[in-house]
Amino acid sequence: MKNTENLVIVGSGPAGLTAAIYAGRAGLSPAVIEGLQPGGQLTQTTDIENFPGFPQGIDGFTLMAAMREQAERCGARFIAEEVINIIPQGSTGLLTCDQNTKNTGQKTCATFHTLELSMGERLETKTVIIATGASARWLGLATEKAFIGKGLSACATCDGAFYKGQDVAVVGGGDTAMEDALYLARLCRSVTVIHRRDAFRASKAMADRVLTHPAITVKWNRTVKDLHVGADGFLNRITLSDVASETTESLDITGLFVAIGHAPNTKAFANVLATDDDGFLLVDDRRRTNVPGIFAAGDVADRHYKQAIAAAGTGCAAALEAERYLATLTTNQ
């Protein structure tokens, strides 16, 4: 059958590339669909201090480039495409059998999952590992799309350099918001952290660093109500609303960085694979989804940790389980 694979890995972040390394070393010659952001979100992180093996830290782009090189050396193949739909086995009725006369005389049979790619191609594969990660959530304001790239960003490490010496704000209360605020404080004149509650969700260590930083101010119990454009067409002011009194105040800034969480990238699989109420893929303790032969790893199935090392670990597990699943297909079906 044309374009038939043993294993296709969808996504090329820490989970996908770790899965590719393990699957490649197992001789599976995995095909990796890179997606819209090769290397995943980690390529936008400039300073990673908590990934084991790098005592002086490492920037995300360098780390992901090294992981990709290692995966290629182990036999992974990369396809610059995006998966837009998946048709699981049983839906297509595709079944191939090869007579194994050399050994036991048994037939080797496998039904194939079909992956539809954005450029019109199709891949047939015995197993799939979904490692598509998650995407940043925005504020939900009617005007915000017009400001993206004009003062509004979801990636401080990508765009922070454009705001050197300026006044900026960060929305959020988790570790990502703290990291963004501290990064921006090294570049900007002032940073205001806007949080809808009266305490951060971030780890104590990260929160303490923000609360004691001389360039960072916190606006508790506030939400962003509106964005305002300056004469140059870029953001120059925002309106904040007090969550209790609903009183408003203005804050003059030229950059607003949104760090309020991520939505799992499951659009292509939502009608096939089981998810929780927030769209994260549901897996068991062996990374198996509700469809046999389809596994999931990384942030797309992780609503709690969102850490590169955690994603890499689940990528390893998914690859090992896919290898074991493929071994079961050597018997009659």
Side-chain angles (χ1 to χ4, degrees), residues 268-318:
F269 322 110
N271 295 327
V272 175
L273 304 179
T275 66
D276 66 13
D277 291 341
D278 293 319
F280 290 90
L281 295 181
L282 294 175
V283 295
D284 64 13
D285 59 355
R286 293 172 61 182
R287 311 311 305 176
R288 297 177 296 193
T289 69
N290 60 302
V291 176
I294 301 181
F295 305 83
D299 288 0
V300 73
D302 175 13
R303 60 179 298 119
H304 298 295
Y305 300 110
K306 301 295 187 296
Q307 298 294 311
I309 190 64
T314 59
C316 161

Side-chain angles (χ1 to χ4, degrees), residues 68-283:
R68 178 190 169 119
E69 182 181 351
Q70 185 177 1
E72 287 183 307
R73 184 176 62 81
C74 290
R77 295 164 293 117
F78 287 81
I79 301 173
E81 264 277 21
E82 178 189 10
V83 173
I84 60 173
N85 189 34
I86 184 170
I87 304 171
Q89 61 181 7
S91 298
T92 61
L94 295 172
L95 179 66
T96 61
C97 295
D98 297 317
Q99 187 72 35
N100 187 354
T101 55
K102 183 177 180 180
N103 296 315
T104 64
Q106 291 182 320
K107 288 183 178 180
T108 298
C109 303
T111 52
F112 289 86
H113 306 293
T114 300
L115 298 177
E116 296 181 340
L117 307 183
S118 57
M119 298 300 290
E121 294 290 328
R122 282 190 170 201
L123 286 179
E124 311 296 344
T125 179
K126 297 176 185 176
T127 57
V128 183
I129 295 176
I130 308 297
T132 47
S135 298
R137 296 184 187 277
W138 294 96
L139 298 172
L141 300 175
T143 58
E144 68 183 346
K145 287 187 178 180
F147 284 94
I148 296 176
K150 294 185 176 182
L152 182 64
S153 172
C155 181
T157 55
C158 304
D159 302 326
F162 295 115
Y163 300 90
K164 287 183 178 179
Q166 300 178 41
D167 300 310
V168 302
V170 175
V171 182
D175 279 343
T176 299
M178 303 299 101
E179 291 170 359
D180 287 357
L182 291 165
Y183 172 76
L184 292 167
R186 301 200 298 265
L187 302 171
C188 304
R189 180 169 55 191
S190 72
V191 179
T192 301
V193 177
I194 302 163
H195 187 42
R196 65 183 301 123
R197 297 182 177 87
D198 59 2
F200 290 136
R201 304 186 317 275
S203 63
K204 185 178 185 303
M206 292 297 294
D208 287 347
R209 289 176 64 187
V210 166
L211 292 171
T212 58
H213 198 291
I216 300 176
T217 301
V218 180
K219 292 281 189 180
W220 301 107
N221 301 306
R222 303 289 199 282
T223 59
V224 178
K225 184 177 182 180
D226 204 358
L227 310 175
H228 304 277
V229 65
D232 59 358
F234 285 73
L235 179 74
N236 73 345
R237 179 169 52 90
I238 62 175
T239 298
L240 302 180
S241 177
D242 187 294
V243 296
S245 66
E246 297 186 359
T247 57
T248 61
E249 62 181 295
S250 293
L251 182 65
D252 293 330
I253 57 170
T254 54
L256 180 64
F257 295 86
V258 181
I260 56 174
H262 293 79
N265 297 322
T266 54
K267 182 179 179 181
F269 322 110
N271 295 327
V272 175
L273 304 179
T275 66
D276 66 13
D277 291 341
D278 293 319
F280 290 90
L281 295 181
L282 294 175
V283 295

Side-chain angles (χ1 to χ4, degrees), residues 53-73:
F54 301 94
Q56 304 304 317
I58 186 173
D59 73 90
F61 185 87
T62 301
L63 176 61
M64 298 316 298
M67 290 180 69
R68 178 190 169 119
E69 182 181 351
Q70 185 177 1
E72 287 183 307
R73 184 176 62 81

